[in-house]
Amino acid sequence: MSGEFCLKYSVRNYESDFMQALKPSALLGYFQEAAAEHSQEMGMGFDRLREEGRFWVLSKICVRISRRPMQGENVTVRTRPHSPNRAIFERSFFVEDASAETVIRAVSRWCVLDECGRIVPAAKVPHKETVLSEERAFTDQDWKIGEEIPLREKPIYSMTVACSEYDLNMHMNNIKYADCVFNCFSVKELSARVLSGFSLHFLRQSHEGDRLDFYRHALSDSVYQVVGKCGEVPVVSARVEFCRAQTE
């Protein structure tokens, strides 16, 4: 079986932001769908794992952006899985525009949990023989994002988890956190800068009724850390990077 899988998309208006550019959460939705369909082909999809009381979770993703596709653009999302270690499955993603130019790259880490929330060793996850590629989207990603924000910081955005945030695994869908992270920036701030990348680390699951408070801290003029907490417990941490002003 081929080690690469692709899906084609046309960026819809509801997948774009106020600048008509593809939203980070919609991008993660593309990635999630491509990974799910490829996993299904590999014999390790949602239905197969559910029979055994297991499910996939995305633990970390790092995204680098040279250009965000605009509303109406046709794009191709390519994904390839890499050889797992004892428990972590890595997968790369590439977004190509209509000229076959790669405009977005991402690397991600996934694991399989059982119904008690324990990590299942990779060797015990059923799968079909698949050609695994060690050619990653990039190899210099920094997986270290702090879980704490300086004490002087106050919540910049808050929300309460409701049913519309849920996924098939009965907790807040990971792609929903991207909207929360970018809600920590104003329209004015996002209009003035170009997004060059972001990383998300999913630390704990959130459930219906949980109140999430998001804190933002500037690491430099162009790099920000965002941490989402349920009470005092971090549930997601993020790094958001900008490259230049829109007018440059």
Side-chain angles (χ1 to χ4, degrees):
M1 180 180 295
S2 171
E4 186 169 274
F5 180 85
C6 68
L7 288 176
K8 296 184 182 295
Y9 295 92
S10 179
V11 180
R12 307 295 185 182
N13 59 353
Y14 55 81
E15 296 171 334
S16 60
D17 61 14
F18 60 90
M19 295 181 287
Q20 295 188 301
L22 179 65
K23 292 192 297 185
S25 59
L27 173 66
L28 295 184
Y30 290 178
F31 291 165
Q32 182 173 281
E33 184 175 30
E37 291 201 19
H38 195 201
S39 295
Q40 194 76 15
E41 282 194 359
M42 294 169 63
M44 52 202 308
F46 176 82
D47 293 336
R48 174 69 183 277
L49 294 184
R50 182 172 56 179
E51 295 173 357
E52 303 173 353
R54 299 172 175 179
F55 57 95
W56 282 106
V57 293
L58 173 62
S59 61
K60 298 179 179 182
I61 188 164
C62 180
V63 180
R64 293 182 179 171
I65 302 168
S66 59
R67 182 181 70 81
R68 279 199 288 164
M70 303 300 288
Q71 179 182 327
E73 269 197 70
N74 295 320
V75 298
T76 300
V77 175
R78 300 187 182 277
T79 182
R80 59 175 69 125
H82 309 301
S83 299
N85 63 18
R86 290 185 59 208
I88 296 174
F89 296 81
E90 291 195 345
R91 180 177 283 274
S92 289
F93 297 94
F94 307 82
V95 179
E96 298 177 355
D97 62 16
S99 300
E101 179 181 355
T102 300
V103 295
I104 299 176
R105 300 174 185 266
V107 290
S108 59
R109 287 185 166 182
W110 307 70
C111 59
V112 175
L113 301 184
D114 65 18
E115 54 193 358
C116 296
R118 296 172 298 206
I119 295 177
V120 178
K124 294 186 177 181
V125 179
H127 64 278
K128 298 177 182 178
E129 287 297 323
T130 305
V131 176
L132 299 175
S133 170
E134 299 315 312
E135 183 180 349
R136 288 164 166 76
F138 44 83
T139 58
D140 59 342
Q141 68 277 359
D142 181 5
W143 290 124
K144 298 178 181 178
I145 301 179
E147 299 180 15
E148 295 298 331
I149 288 286
L151 292 177
R152 67 179 182 276
E153 306 292 354
K154 297 181 179 179
I156 196 168
Y157 174 74
S158 300
M159 59 91 69
T160 300
V161 179
C163 62
S164 63
E165 279 79 44
Y166 261 35
D167 62 14
L168 293 172
N169 296 322
M170 299 302 291
H171 56 71
M172 183 163 161
N173 193 316
N174 285 349
I175 68 175
K176 298 285 187 175
Y177 290 103
D179 283 332
C180 296
V181 166
F182 283 92
N183 281 344
C184 293
F185 299 86
S186 69
V187 169
K188 182 178 180 179
E189 288 175 314
L190 294 176
S191 298
R193 295 184 172 189
V194 173
L195 180 66
S196 62
F198 63 93
S199 298
L200 291 170
H201 291 191
F202 305 101
L203 307 171
R204 293 166 185 82
Q205 297 175 3
S206 299
H207 297 91
E208 186 178 18
D210 287 349
R211 175 186 167 86
L212 305 183
D213 295 313
F214 289 82
Y215 302 79
R216 191 184 91 178
H217 175 65
L219 300 176
S220 70
D221 289 341
S222 59
V223 181
Y224 294 82
Q225 178 190 9
V226 176
V227 174
K229 292 186 174 183
C230 181
E232 295 300 316
V233 179
V235 297
V236 63
S237 61
R239 182 171 52 242
V240 179
E241 302 179 34
F242 300 95
C243 60
R244 63 186 184 278
Q246 290 277 13
T247 55
E248 293 180 356

